[in-house]
Amino acid sequence: MAESNTTRLRVFSLNCWGIRYLSKHCRQRYAMIGELLSREEHDIVLLQEVWSEKDFLCLKRKLSSTHPHSHYFKSGVIGSGMATFSRHRIHDAFLYRYSLNGYPYMAHHGDWFGGKAVGMVILNIGRLAAHVYVTHLHAEYCREKDSYLPHRVVQAWELQQFLRHTSSGADLVILAGDLNLHPQDLGNRLLRTYTGLRDSYTETAKFDGCEDGITLIADNPFINPKELCPFEKGIRIDYILYKGSGRVSIQCESLSTTKGSVPDHPFPYSDHEALSAELQLGEQDCALAELVDIVTEARTEVKVGLYCAEKMRYTAARTGVMGLALLLLELAIAAVPWLALGTDQPFPRATFYLLGVLCFAILITTFLLYIFYTMEVKALQGAEDQMRLAVGSLQERLRGFPLAQPLNPLCRPPDGQDPCPLEPEE
Amino acid sequence: MAESNTTRLRVFSLNCWGIRYLSKHCRQRYAMIGELLSREEHDIVLLQEVWSEKDFLCLKRKLSSTHPHSHYFKSGVIGSGMATFSRHRIHDAFLYRYSLNGYPYMAHHGDWFGGKAVGMVILNIGRLAAHVYVTHLHAEYCREKDSYLPHRVVQAWELQQFLRHTSSGADLVILAGDLNLHPQDLGNRLLRTYTGLRDSYTETAKFDGCEDGITLIADNPFINPKELCPFEKGIRIDYILYKGSGRVSIQCESLSTTKGSVPDHPFPYSDHEALSAELQLGEQDCALAELVDIVTEARTEVKVGLYCAEKMRYTAARTGVMGLALLLLELAIAAVPWLALGTDQPFPRATFYLLGVLCFAILITTFLLYIFYTMEVKALQGAEDQMRLAVGSLQERLRGFPLAQPLNPLCRPPDGQDPCPLEPEE
């Protein structure tokens, strides 16, 4: 079975919007998704937002005959929400949690609690080693004033790092998921240019789906079209990306998306549209100069985030000092009558306790915030350092210096030949 | 310069114990370390516990002529404490933070705040790509009743995963650091057997250093010998590990350690001894059956940790419920006179407020603990899942099934030959 599939690989990706008791028609939608998957028998299924392990286990039971291999990635408080089902044997699994992922006090956004990450599974497809990645990046809640942009850029940076460093032994690489990035967003360009991954939507020979490949569409009944503004029809933020190697080259034969409704059912599978790609032989390239520009742009973005985080940390520290000063003042006022024995307490006891509690609350909150922002600053600085290193190395390479590790390991030339990023390996 | 070093590589590792204002003679010791490093001119220097970035920058200035390339790994609240200096160009850096690393409320142990991680840098050594790793695992505070054992096993598991998945493009691999693991400890065996890394102490042709290669010695004036009990002379927990590939094989020519004192100086470099290895050509192997046993043992250890974490989470939840009940009870008692108008308040106002604050403190603390233990449970479950998957795959391989990704990518056979883990690549 596996052997016959080496020339044709069907990949499925869907953000399931599976928040138990909160997402609309959650159970029924999972039943529909299970039905679809067992009918279509994709080789690899990559799901996001399967927040409850129970739902994963339920799907696993349902798909036990068509997709005997599966893995559920656990992370953070709630979990990563990512699951994979496969017709091919999974040999290894590895998870990388992003160092930045929103703020715990933005509980209504919830991203922090999800422990966003990138998961990797290594599959046997015939004699080929496929490294398959699934991820879900931090959501974009307001495009005009996106306070999470540096976080998402760092996530995209770490995603490309993880992918690049863990895929050098791969014959083929597939990444799917909800990137929460528009096609030309910085994080998306950073990811694609650095890794050489190709977008199945732009590369496909045949496409059947929503206009412009959008995956969050205004026609979906679970979506409030106002939230998509100014993109009236919708946006494309879910992807299936791929690349081959010297041994295997991949091309996308066809790509299809669901279109907001499902025949014979009253509602769609999710608030996102599902992607289904059919992959065959192809080629990949990587453009060095463009990459330098993109990394530089990403570095600037991270620096802006760093500036904001440092400002927030300073504000937290200042507020904390004010809280401390207030507490000391209160204690001093309370101490006056105590020292001058017999004088009456100047302010009522209840007020005194309340004010004390308030001061303590300020101190604890600002202390926690200070620690949190310190962690954010460290992570941003860490990413910035790594980006600086990478830009230096890329620029040197552009100038023609030798490089031990090829930019893209899958572009590595055979021994004795000069490295050239535009040539396939071996 | 680089070309002439391809056959001989000198690696240095030291846990610097660099807590500003707390570690004894911190500044003087850094000056001594800087002196040693600029005199000895090792190819690669891997330091741990350089907690302050200022100290790193100070060393960087001092070593700018001998070690022009460096990287400081930032992570967690305080930082990872890890730094690397190199005579060879660093092309890429990547950091993986361990998912488990002690508890924030064990502040006196401090590990949680350090954001323990494994850092990787990719170097050019002549035409060779060296993947160099530095790490520092969670400390062992009590060997008899080691509550951090599951955390350290998960760290060792993630360390081997990270190393294995990121080193398949490497010509040579070096890992150094304070593993906080004895030579035969589970985590150490897991790491070495899975990755094929070899211990420079057991492999070296020539050794000059403390008896049994110990790196935390009773004779060190910064150490309380009682803390080493029952190991009178000391323990070996710092390592330089290495492996080659099909293109390069490594052997350890010599290994030396400092011996608790430094000529012409009143105190040693640190509370740990420094390691210095000279590496040349060699070979590596990996034993499959042994690996299955070790992973199974690690899985058991993680399961024990999981059981404890679930118990702690349950306790936190129960205490939280009790706090809530107490709060409701207090409110009910306070409501009685309010409902029966005119009756006096049964208990004093100060007591009422204090009790209220206490209840809130219990609620908040238990809520935070519950979240924390949930994250611990998830991480332990995640590691356990991955270990189960790995054992299955290894057992299948033992039974002779084909495997897409070789157990150790550096053992990969040339195309057309059967995979055999005991043969070197190409």
Side-chain angles (χ1 to χ4, degrees):
Chain A
M1 183 185 75
E3 279 298 322
S4 68
N5 282 326
T6 47
T7 53
R8 196 163 170 266
L9 198 67
R10 293 178 66 226
V11 182
F12 178 88
S13 174
L14 174 63
N15 178 326
C16 296
W17 190 42
I19 317 168
R20 277 202 164 199
Y21 314 116
L22 280 178
S23 300
K24 282 176 195 159
H25 310 296
C26 197
R27 265 181 70 180
Q28 296 98 310
R29 288 190 293 105
Y30 270 120
M32 285 161 60
I33 293 168
E35 230 168 70
L36 170 78
L37 295 178
S38 55
R39 185 178 67 233
E40 291 288 332
E41 297 192 15
H42 302 90
D43 292 274
I44 302 162
V45 173
L46 299 161
L47 304 179
Q48 305 96 53
E49 292 211 18
V50 184
W51 294 119
S52 161
E53 195 172 352
K54 281 181 191 156
D55 291 324
F56 165 74
L57 293 172
C58 187
L59 274 179
K60 188 174 165 168
R61 269 194 302 278
K62 205 162 190 171
L63 301 178
S64 57
S65 60
T66 53
H67 297 84
H69 313 289
S70 63
H71 191 72
Y72 187 61
F73 292 98
K74 295 183 183 99
S75 159
V77 184
I78 299 168
S80 73
M82 299 183 308
T84 171
F85 294 93
S86 167
R87 292 176 58 205
H88 309 277
R89 180 86 162 86
I90 298 177
H91 282 287
D92 218 332
F94 189 28
L95 184 76
Y96 180 87
R97 268 168 317 287
Y98 300 121
S99 61
L100 286 175
N101 184 36
Y103 303 97
Y105 53 80
M106 300 295 265
H108 58 297
H109 286 168
D111 292 72
W112 188 85
F113 294 91
K116 297 272 166 82
V118 46
M120 172 180 84
V121 289
I122 298 180
L123 307 176
N124 254 10
I125 297 174
R127 290 182 61 82
L128 303 174
H131 289 211
V132 179
Y133 301 80
V134 56
T135 195
H136 185 188
L137 303 194
H138 196 291
E140 183 183 75
Y141 294 98
C142 172
R143 198 164 174 83
E144 282 69 48
K145 212 184 153 198
D146 182 11
S147 55
Y148 298 115
L149 183 59
H151 285 216
R152 214 177 303 104
V153 171
V154 169
Q155 290 187 347
W157 171 256
E158 292 179 345
L159 173 59
Q160 70 75 14
Q161 278 191 311
F162 182 75
L163 203 134
R164 216 159 30 88
H165 290 304
T166 56
S167 68
S168 53
D171 294 313
L172 60 132
V173 175
I174 291 162
L175 164 67
D178 175 3
L179 299 185
N180 274 310
L181 293 166
H182 293 222
Q184 285 313 310
D185 278 2
L186 174 58
N188 206 327
R189 286 177 289 140
L190 184 67
L191 171 68
R192 278 185 290 115
T193 325
Y194 222 135
T195 58
L197 281 171
R198 305 173 85 189
D199 184 349
S200 55
Y201 173 70
T202 55
E203 304 284 328
T204 186
K206 218 170 73 190
F207 176 72
D208 176 34
C210 303
E211 201 183 327
D212 300 325
I214 52 176
T215 58
L216 211 59
I217 65 173
D219 289 345
N220 187 306
F222 298 134
I223 285 189
N224 177 359
K226 281 181 195 160
E227 286 177 7
L228 293 174
C229 190
F231 305 96
E232 272 173 36
K233 286 177 183 166
I235 54 179
R236 184 159 80 91
I237 56 172
D238 299 85
Y239 299 84
I240 294 176
L241 306 171
Y242 62 88
K243 70 173 175 182
S245 67
R247 276 178 75 188
V248 185
S249 58
I250 312 185
Q251 274 186 324
C252 186
E253 285 252 306
S254 76
L255 178 74
S256 62
T257 71
T258 51
K259 296 168 192 172
S261 64
V262 183
D264 307 326
H265 285 281
F267 40 76
Y269 296 112
S270 171
D271 60 346
H272 285 241
E273 300 309 312
L275 279 88
S276 183
E278 224 174 280
L279 302 175
Q280 261 189 341
L281 298 180
E283 257 180 279
Q284 47 88 31
D285 55 22
C286 40
L288 214 56
E290 192 190 342
L291 183 52
V292 172
D293 290 345
I294 291 174
V295 177
T296 307
E297 196 181 334
R299 227 183 119 193
T300 312
E301 206 51 74
V302 170
K303 273 183 188 166
V304 172
L306 187 60
Y307 171 76
C308 294
E310 276 170 345
K311 223 169 69 179
M312 292 298 283
R313 183 170 65 168
Y314 174 72
T315 308
R318 211 178 44 185
T319 315
V321 168
M322 277 166 57
L324 187 67
L326 196 63
L327 187 68
L328 292 175
L329 186 72
E330 193 197 357
L331 290 175
I333 293 173
V336 168
W338 181 74
L339 290 171
L341 295 157
T343 319
D344 268 350
Q345 190 60 257
F347 59 121
R349 190 165 285 198
T351 316
F352 179 79
Y353 284 123
L354 273 177
L355 198 59
V357 168
L358 181 71
C359 290
F360 267 113
I362 291 174
L363 274 178
I364 290 171
T365 310
T366 51
F367 176 69
L368 290 177
L369 282 176
Y370 187 84
I371 286 187
F372 185 80
Y373 287 124
T374 302
M375 288 167 77
E376 190 186 9
V377 164
K378 290 257 174 224
L380 284 164
Q381 282 176 338
E384 208 267 320
D385 283 354
Q386 292 170 3
M387 286 175 184
R388 195 189 55 238
L389 208 68
V391 166
S393 179
L394 289 171
Q395 278 171 338
E396 201 158 272
R397 193 179 160 142
L398 260 178
R399 288 195 300 272
F401 281 72
L403 194 78
Q405 165 87 351
L407 169 76
N408 179 337
L410 297 185
C411 303
R412 182 152 45 170
D415 284 341
Q417 285 187 22
D418 283 324
C420 162
L422 297 165
E423 287 298 313
E425 160 183 48
E426 283 173 290
Chain B
M1 183 186 76
E3 279 299 321
S4 68
N5 282 324
T6 47
T7 53
R8 195 162 171 266
L9 199 66
R10 292 178 66 225
V11 182
F12 178 89
S13 174
L14 173 64
N15 177 326
C16 297
W17 190 42
I19 316 168
R20 276 200 165 200
Y21 316 115
L22 280 177
S23 301
K24 283 178 194 157
H25 310 295
C26 198
R27 264 182 71 178
Q28 295 98 311
R29 290 191 293 106
Y30 269 119
M32 286 161 59
I33 293 169
E35 232 168 71
L36 171 77
L37 295 178
S38 55
R39 187 178 65 235
E40 291 287 334
E41 297 193 15
H42 302 90
D43 292 273
I44 302 161
V45 173
L46 299 161
L47 303 179
Q48 305 97 54
E49 291 209 20
V50 183
W51 293 120
S52 161
E53 195 173 353
K54 282 180 191 157
D55 291 324
F56 165 75
L57 293 173
C58 189
L59 275 178
K60 188 174 165 168
R61 269 194 302 278
K62 206 164 191 167
L63 301 178
S64 58
S65 61
T66 53
H67 297 84
H69 311 288
S70 63
H71 191 73
Y72 187 62
F73 292 100
K74 296 183 182 98
S75 156
V77 185
I78 300 171
S80 73
M82 300 183 309
T84 172
F85 293 94
S86 167
R87 293 177 57 205
H88 310 277
R89 180 86 162 84
I90 298 177
H91 282 286
D92 216 335
F94 189 29
L95 184 76
Y96 179 88
R97 269 168 316 288
Y98 299 122
S99 62
L100 285 175
N101 183 36
Y103 304 97
Y105 53 80
M106 300 297 264
H108 58 297
H109 286 169
D111 292 70
W112 189 84
F113 294 90
K116 298 271 166 82
V118 47
M120 172 179 84
V121 289
I122 298 181
L123 308 176
N124 254 10
I125 298 176
R127 289 183 61 82
L128 302 175
H131 288 211
V132 179
Y133 301 82
V134 55
T135 194
H136 185 188
L137 302 194
H138 196 291
E140 183 184 77
Y141 295 97
C142 172
R143 198 162 173 85
E144 283 67 47
K145 211 184 157 198
D146 182 12
S147 56
Y148 297 115
L149 184 59
H151 285 214
R152 215 176 302 103
V153 171
V154 169
Q155 290 188 346
W157 171 257
E158 292 179 347
L159 172 58
Q160 69 75 17
Q161 279 191 312
F162 181 74
L163 202 135
R164 215 157 33 87
H165 290 304
T166 57
S167 68
S168 52
D171 293 314
L172 59 133
V173 175
I174 290 163
L175 165 66
D178 175 3
L179 298 185
N180 274 312
L181 292 166
H182 293 222
Q184 286 312 310
D185 278 2
L186 174 58
N188 205 327
R189 287 179 287 140
L190 184 66
L191 171 67
R192 279 185 290 116
T193 325
Y194 222 133
T195 57
L197 281 171
R198 305 173 85 189
D199 184 349
S200 54
Y201 173 72
T202 56
E203 303 285 327
T204 186
K206 218 170 74 190
F207 177 71
D208 175 35
C210 303
E211 202 184 324
D212 300 326
I214 52 177
T215 58
L216 211 60
I217 66 174
D219 288 345
N220 187 304
F222 299 134
I223 285 189
N224 176 359
K226 279 180 193 158
E227 285 176 8
L228 292 173
C229 189
F231 305 95
E232 274 172 36
K233 287 178 185 165
I235 53 178
R236 185 159 80 92
I237 57 174
D238 298 85
Y239 299 85
I240 294 176
L241 306 171
Y242 61 89
K243 69 173 176 180
S245 67
R247 276 178 74 188
V248 185
S249 59
I250 312 185
Q251 272 185 326
C252 186
E253 285 251 307
S254 77
L255 179 73
S256 62
T257 71
T258 51
K259 295 168 190 171
S261 63
V262 183
D264 307 324
H265 284 283
F267 38 78
Y269 296 111
S270 170
D271 61 344
H272 284 242
E273 301 308 314
L275 280 87
S276 182
E278 224 175 280
L279 302 175
Q280 262 191 339
L281 298 181
E283 260 180 275
Q284 46 84 34
D285 54 21
C286 41
L288 213 56
E290 192 189 343
L291 183 53
V292 172
D293 290 345
I294 291 175
V295 178
T296 308
E297 197 182 333
R299 225 183 121 193
T300 312
E301 205 52 72
V302 171
K303 274 184 189 165
V304 171
L306 186 60
Y307 172 76
C308 294
E310 278 172 343
K311 225 170 65 180
M312 293 299 283
R313 182 169 66 168
Y314 175 72
T315 308
R318 210 178 42 184
T319 314
V321 168
M322 276 166 56
L324 186 68
L326 195 61
L327 187 68
L328 293 176
L329 186 70
E330 193 197 358
L331 291 176
I333 293 173
V336 168
W338 181 75
L339 289 172
L341 295 158
T343 318
D344 268 346
Q345 190 63 258
F347 59 121
R349 193 165 282 199
T351 318
F352 179 78
Y353 284 121
L354 272 177
L355 198 60
V357 169
L358 180 72
C359 291
F360 266 113
I362 292 175
L363 274 178
I364 288 170
T365 311
T366 50
F367 176 69
L368 290 176
L369 283 176
Y370 187 85
I371 284 186
F372 185 81
Y373 287 124
T374 303
M375 287 166 78
E376 190 186 10
V377 163
K378 289 258 174 221
L380 284 165
Q381 282 175 338
E384 209 265 321
D385 283 353
Q386 292 170 2
M387 287 177 184
R388 196 189 55 238
L389 208 67
V391 167
S393 178
L394 290 171
Q395 279 170 339
E396 201 158 272
R397 192 177 161 144
L398 260 179
R399 288 196 299 270
F401 280 74
L403 193 75
Q405 164 88 350
L407 169 72
N408 179 339
L410 298 185
C411 303
R412 183 149 46 167
D415 284 341
Q417 286 188 21
D418 283 325
C420 162
L422 297 167
E423 288 298 313
E425 164 181 43
E426 283 175 284

